[in-house]
Amino acid sequence: MKTESLGGFDRFRVPAALLVIAIHTGPLLSLNGEANYLLTDILARIAVPFFFSVSGWFLVPRLLREGRAALIPFVKKLLLLYGAAALLYLPLNLYNHTLEESGFALLRDVFFNGTFYHLWYFPALVLGACLVYGLLRILGPRWAWLPALLLYAAGLLGDSYFGLTAALPPLRAGYEALFLLFDYTRNGLFFPPVFLLLGGWLALRPARRSAAWYGAGLLLSLALLTAEGLLVQRLALARFDALYLCLPLCVGFLLRWLQRLSLPSAPALRGWAAAVYVLHPWCIVLIRGGAGVVGLTGLLVDNCLVHYLAVVLLSALLALPFARIRPAPSPRSRAWIELDAAALRHNLAALGSLLPAAASLMPVIKANAYGHGDLEIARLCAGAGADAFAVATAAEGVRLRRGGVRGTILVLGYSGPELAPLLARYRLTQTVVSTEHARALDACGRRLAVHLKVDTGLHRLGIPWDDTQSLTAPYSCSHLRVTGVFTHLADTERLDEASQARTREQLRRFRAAVDGLRSAGHAPGTVHFQGSYGLLNYPGLPCGCARPGIALYGVLSAPGDATTAVLPLRPVLSLRARVSQLHTLAAGEAAGYDGAYTAHRPTVLATLSIGYADGWPRTLSNGAGRVLLHGRTAPIVGLICMDQLLVDVTDMEGVAPGDTATLIGRDGDAVLTAEEAAQAAGTITNELLSRLGPRLKRVVLP
């Protein structure tokens, strides 16, 4: 799977950082005031919107997929950086006596304007990200643009076009009141939202034109920006000049042009450019002070161009250590899982269509979301509106809570009384499987929400359906609050008459148990009994919710499973691995452990960086399993090892180290399904997927 490199974004961070320095130093003032205005007050104003839009490129798709779970770590990181930068400039603030301002002025600077003149960027980005999250959540991606554009327009009237506002006394009075809180309208309320959304919008849509086409658009938009800026100057409209009508157009063309250049990534430039941005005001102070000490003020300060170059040089040198900070290895460097967020949302909607109007889905996230990744799947489901989840163990529930997942989390399995403090602390809803279990939990003295498990014929866990006394006993427990009642249907996968009769009998028993609770004066709470096959084969039954597991992930337990409801479910998971090396074997030469494979002709083998320690079954050795390379099938040969396996690519041209092999998923027109792999391994899809291990990084695709 080829992805377009965004190395152009990395490289443009350098001129963007240098343009910010130019804004704060005026490099052309000594030469020509008009030229300096053109550079610093017009063209350089593209730098900060570029940074905002790049943030939106990566943030907005995650907000759409994961919601609040994507926002919180983003904001925490920004606040940490902001705090560190504020401490860095504390000595200068103390020297300038800025901390002696009123409490209101100090709070205003901390939350909106920044504690130093360039640090406004951090609270602005935090506020902008929170606003965008709220707009996306309330209005959706299509309509979120409207208030963002209106806010930007309001910002324009308080910034470059304030001259128009000043002519209208009521409007002017409103802005002057606003400026008691904000120094400028470039803050997070007016400036960042439109650029964050712009970056996200571009990220979610393919670039359909060439780099040359977008480059021409960029030049034209810069010309329009220049004309607009000169007009604003000529008419003396600006109170401040950071916002222009043409800026979003310029930034849009810039991002597309950089994207289509497809330059290799340059992660070192990311940390370096950020450090230059943060450090350069200190460098201005140091150069001005140092120049005075050595008597070079005329050269290093009064000569604006030399002053600018000196600040750039010092900032670049001081930022060098930050260029050595390397990000974590790419999740696609060895073997990985890709999660199709759009497919998951589609499956949620499709399965939800089988429920009665008042019912909802409770996605089953146990066993690491059937190998898909529990936090990733839970966050995606929450972003799609799910507010209840099912897990197998208390530990799984705790992991979701610690990962920021809200709503009901039902622990389907048994939890002993020793776990009651954990259940209470993390607000987990525990399944009660017997009267003794209920009383043991109650004796712990912790207030717990519980669901009653009713045994209607599976005979694994639960209170017998016809034991009314035992069913009602948990209601008398002073520390337990019964919020639901459920059962598990044993034979919904098959549609033969005997299986249907068994299911009907289980449903009858469950209804009798629930009716018995109501007759005894107890509210059953949320009533649920359907898993994936129960929902697919018995749709529309009255219930409070349904618990889809395997079907949620777009697959069935075995190939060819027939269901009453035929839904166009989409597989969520693809499994891929890298080709690490090629080997040429002569006829008769053996390969792999135990010489399990012998070449019958001159053979080329490719080594894939995945094995049974990643969860790929060893039973798929020696031709039982296959993979896709370059859109064609290649058989697995020899014994699958702990960390690697071999495939025969003799009949394929162009296979090379670094190529991507697909074990589950699509490669061109060819597809390998999880159901097919499970059948070849002698198991069911549920087991095959659930065994996919934590070494496999999960990559969420929009």
Side-chain angles (χ1 to χ4, degrees):
M1 176 177 238
K2 184 177 178 182
T3 58
E4 205 163 26
S5 174
L6 298 177
F9 291 6
D10 296 336
R11 285 160 176 79
F12 194 78
R13 293 174 190 269
V14 176
L18 300 184
L19 287 173
V20 171
I21 298 177
I23 292 172
H24 296 149
T25 56
L28 302 181
L29 272 175
S30 304
L31 303 174
N32 187 292
E34 286 296 315
N36 189 75
Y37 178 84
L38 178 64
L39 173 64
T40 62
D41 292 77
I42 301 177
L43 296 178
R45 296 301 179 182
I46 200 173
V48 173
F50 164 77
F51 288 129
F52 283 140
S53 295
V54 170
S55 294
W57 184 287
F58 298 103
L59 176 65
V60 169
R62 291 196 62 206
L63 290 177
L64 290 171
R65 296 193 305 263
E66 305 170 27
R68 183 173 173 270
L71 178 69
I72 290 175
F74 180 80
V75 169
K76 283 183 177 178
K77 181 181 178 180
L78 281 175
L79 292 177
L80 182 63
L81 292 172
Y82 182 33
L87 288 174
L88 180 65
Y89 284 90
L90 184 59
L92 291 182
N93 282 322
L94 291 171
Y95 179 80
N96 294 328
H97 304 287
T98 54
L99 298 181
E100 298 175 8
E101 299 176 344
S102 68
F104 173 77
L106 187 59
L107 288 174
R108 183 188 67 175
D109 288 344
V110 169
F111 288 105
F112 299 113
N113 301 318
T115 59
F116 212 73
Y117 60 81
H118 70 311
L119 297 184
W120 68 272
Y121 177 85
F122 293 102
L125 187 51
V126 168
L127 180 56
C130 292
L131 270 172
V132 166
Y133 165 72
L135 292 174
L136 291 172
R137 187 171 180 86
I138 297 170
L139 302 176
R142 177 176 296 180
W143 294 104
W145 278 99
L146 181 59
L149 288 170
L150 291 174
L151 285 170
Y152 190 72
L156 286 170
L157 292 174
D159 195 276
S160 295
Y161 292 87
F162 187 70
L164 302 177
T165 304
L168 301 170
L171 199 58
R172 180 186 180 102
Y175 275 96
E176 288 177 346
L178 187 71
F179 293 140
L180 296 175
L181 188 62
F182 308 123
D183 286 346
Y184 308 104
T185 54
R186 68 179 181 186
N187 71 78
L189 185 62
F190 302 99
F191 194 10
V194 72
F195 291 105
L196 289 168
L197 285 173
L198 174 63
W201 184 82
L202 292 172
L204 292 169
R205 286 159 177 80
R208 303 188 183 278
R209 305 281 186 174
S210 66
W213 194 93
Y214 289 119
L218 174 60
L219 292 175
L220 178 60
S221 62
L222 287 173
L224 292 173
L225 176 66
T226 301
E228 181 187 3
L230 293 174
L231 181 64
V232 165
Q233 181 197 33
R234 187 174 186 86
L235 298 177
L237 295 176
R239 177 180 179 269
F240 189 64
D241 40 28
L243 281 72
Y244 292 102
L245 280 169
C246 291
L247 263 182
L249 186 66
C250 291
V251 174
F253 277 116
L254 174 63
L255 292 187
R256 279 295 194 228
W257 177 64
L258 293 171
Q259 178 191 12
R260 295 299 271 166
L261 292 178
S262 293
L263 298 172
S265 64
L269 296 179
R270 302 169 201 167
W272 181 88
V276 167
Y277 181 92
V278 172
L279 294 173
H280 78 272
W282 252 118
C283 296
I284 294 173
V285 172
L286 292 173
I287 288 172
R288 289 177 180 265
V293 171
V294 300
L296 294 176
T297 299
L299 175 64
L300 293 177
V301 179
D302 296 339
N303 188 318
C304 295
L305 182 57
V306 175
H307 177 60
Y308 168 74
L309 294 174
V311 173
V312 167
L313 179 61
L314 183 58
S315 301
L317 290 173
L318 293 178
L320 278 178
F322 296 91
R324 299 186 179 185
I325 299 174
R326 293 289 187 268
S330 168
R332 294 183 171 97
S333 61
R334 180 183 169 272
W336 68 97
I337 287 169
E338 293 173 357
L339 301 174
D340 188 337
L344 183 68
R345 290 191 292 269
H346 168 84
N347 296 343
L348 282 166
L351 292 168
S353 69
L354 302 178
L355 291 172
S360 61
L361 295 177
M362 180 188 289
V364 179
I365 315 294
K366 65 180 180 178
N368 200 24
Y370 290 60
H372 289 63
D374 52 1
L375 287 176
E376 293 86 352
I377 294 296
R379 289 165 178 170
L380 289 173
C381 290
D387 59 0
F389 306 90
V391 296
T393 68
E396 291 179 341
V398 169
R399 177 173 160 81
L400 293 185
R401 279 284 188 253
R402 287 176 173 172
V405 178
R406 303 167 71 92
T408 299
I409 298 178
L410 173 63
V411 180
L412 296 170
Y414 173 85
S415 298
E418 69 280 2
L419 294 177
L422 200 70
L423 297 169
R425 178 182 176 184
Y426 289 97
R427 305 180 314 286
L428 304 179
T429 301
Q430 175 58 44
T431 293
V432 167
V433 303
S434 68
T435 301
E436 295 75 20
H437 187 209
R439 288 170 178 166
L441 291 173
D442 186 56
C444 297
R446 304 292 183 124
R447 295 194 175 277
L448 298 175
V450 299
H451 281 203
L452 304 184
K453 177 70 176 291
V454 182
D455 182 9
T456 57
L458 183 60
H459 302 315
R460 263 186 343 193
L461 292 173
I463 304 170
W465 67 276
D466 54 353
D467 188 350
T468 303
Q469 184 176 355
S470 295
L471 285 170
T472 58
Y475 287 90
S476 63
C477 294
S478 57
H479 297 100
L480 303 186
R481 180 169 58 92
V482 180
T483 59
V485 178
F486 73 101
T487 193
H488 195 101
L489 302 177
D491 201 5
T492 53
E493 290 88 348
R494 299 179 296 178
L495 290 172
D496 59 274
E497 183 53 39
S499 296
Q500 292 188 56
R502 187 178 179 188
T503 298
R504 288 193 295 269
E505 176 59 18
Q506 279 195 270
L507 290 171
R508 185 194 69 79
R509 292 173 177 181
F510 183 62
R511 284 193 294 269
V514 173
D515 290 342
L517 288 173
R518 291 193 174 107
S519 298
H522 301 299
T526 302
V527 174
H528 49 110
F529 49 86
Q530 290 171 303
S532 290
Y533 281 90
L535 190 57
L536 291 168
N537 286 328
Y538 301 89
L541 295 178
C543 61
C545 69
R547 310 183 305 271
I550 194 67
L552 176 69
Y553 306 105
V555 295
L556 298 177
S557 295
D561 277 355
T563 58
T564 302
V566 180
L567 296 180
L569 299 176
R570 301 176 188 172
V572 173
L573 179 146
S574 297
L575 177 61
R576 308 190 195 273
R578 290 288 182 205
V579 174
S580 55
Q581 195 172 4
L582 297 178
H583 302 272
T584 301
L585 275 63
E589 192 172 0
Y593 283 124
D594 301 334
Y597 172 75
T598 301
H600 299 290
R601 58 172 178 164
T603 300
V604 180
L605 300 182
T607 303
L608 304 188
S609 49
I610 189 171
Y612 61 76
D614 301 292
W616 200 239
R618 198 166 182 262
T619 51
L620 293 176
S621 300
N622 274 323
R626 54 199 180 111
V627 307
L628 298 177
L629 268 165
H630 296 192
R632 297 179 61 190
T633 298
I636 297 174
V637 299
L639 298 178
I640 294 175
C641 308
M642 181 177 288
D643 315 301
Q644 299 168 93
L645 59 83
L646 299 172
V647 295
D648 186 348
V649 295
T650 307
D651 298 324
M652 296 183 182
E653 294 183 1
V655 177
D659 285 354
T660 299
T662 298
L663 291 85
I664 298 174
R666 179 177 294 276
D667 183 352
D669 293 330
V671 178
L672 286 177
T673 68
E675 293 97 328
E676 292 169 338
Q679 185 178 49
T683 185
I684 60 172
T685 312
N686 311 50
E687 181 185 4
L688 178 85
L689 295 175
S690 297
R691 291 175 61 179
L692 298 178
R695 290 201 314 194
L696 297 167
K697 302 300 182 183
R698 275 71 177 171
V699 179
V700 180
L701 306 179

